[in-house]
Amino acid sequence: MKHTISALASNRPGVLADMALMFKRHNLNIRSLAAGETENPDISRIVISLDGDSEEMERLTRELAAMDVVIQVDDLARREFVDRELLMVKVRMDRESLSQLMQIFEVFRASVVGMGQESITVEMAGDQERVEGLIKLLKPFGIKSLCRSGMIALKRGDD
């Protein structure tokens, strides 16, 4: 089962490395990871997407919460949350495909950020399903390079 862990932690060197070691000890593969400062520059939010059973996730979140640098841990799989991911992708293009590509970009609200003679680079922010959808439609054109930011997420509502 897919889980999304959101942790607030002290913004200092080594925190992410210590967390990664914990995932390794639990033999869990990280599918996506994003980390950055919050509204308080002394605190970082770390959002990790991974697969695992609920029992394993409970053990992991308890161990993360016990770390002295961790302030709060939430398994967002048990709650409603809003997620976004940034995608940048460079796609092959020619005169014949440009119009079709532009229509796809418009539907996905992707913005052109660069253009060459034989390729076009776009960026798009959206949930993981939307990002996967755009990638799937662009594959037949020939993806030259692709970069994804990793998912960021927050709980919905007033919590």
Side-chain angles (χ1 to χ4, degrees):
M1 181 177 167
K2 181 179 167 189
H3 290 264
T4 302
I5 305 293
S6 176
L8 293 176
S10 298
N11 187 9
R12 64 181 206 207
V15 172
L16 194 55
D18 292 344
M19 287 181 155
L21 284 173
M22 188 172 297
F23 290 107
K24 182 179 179 181
R25 281 195 303 270
H26 284 267
N27 198 32
L28 294 168
N29 184 47
I30 296 171
R31 297 178 63 190
S32 168
L33 183 139
E37 287 183 358
T38 64
E39 66 281 1
N40 179 343
D42 295 329
I43 298 173
S44 288
R45 180 177 304 278
I46 302 165
V47 179
I48 305 149
S49 174
L50 59 150
D51 292 320
D53 63 49
S54 295
E55 191 175 299
E56 186 69 29
M57 287 303 115
E58 284 182 35
R59 277 196 301 273
L60 178 70
T61 55
R62 277 195 308 272
E63 286 183 36
L64 285 171
M67 294 175 69
D68 64 339
V69 295
V70 174
I71 299 160
Q72 179 183 343
V73 178
D74 286 307
D75 182 352
L76 299 179
R78 296 188 216 145
R79 304 171 188 257
E80 284 194 39
F81 62 96
V82 179
D83 67 284
R84 292 292 179 268
E85 182 173 1
L86 176 63
L87 167 73
M88 291 184 71
V89 60
K90 185 181 293 189
V91 183
R92 294 185 196 285
M93 68 143 199
D94 54 31
R95 190 173 287 178
E96 293 78 36
S97 65
L98 181 58
S99 175
Q100 195 175 3
L101 284 167
M102 294 305 286
Q103 289 175 347
I104 292 169
F105 300 153
E106 185 177 334
V107 167
F108 281 86
R109 293 186 298 257
S111 301
V112 175
V113 294
M115 196 168 201
Q117 295 295 316
E118 299 174 353
S119 66
I120 187 166
T121 304
V122 296
E123 68 180 7
M124 193 240 348
D127 61 28
Q128 288 185 323
E129 289 175 358
R130 191 168 185 83
V131 168
E132 292 291 338
L134 178 59
I135 292 169
K136 183 177 178 181
L137 284 177
L138 295 179
K139 277 185 181 178
F141 293 94
I143 294 175
K144 293 180 78 168
S145 58
L146 181 145
C147 183
R148 296 171 75 163
S149 65
M151 178 177 42
I152 58 172
L154 290 173
K155 292 183 279 187
R156 286 191 186 272
D158 295 329
D159 290 343

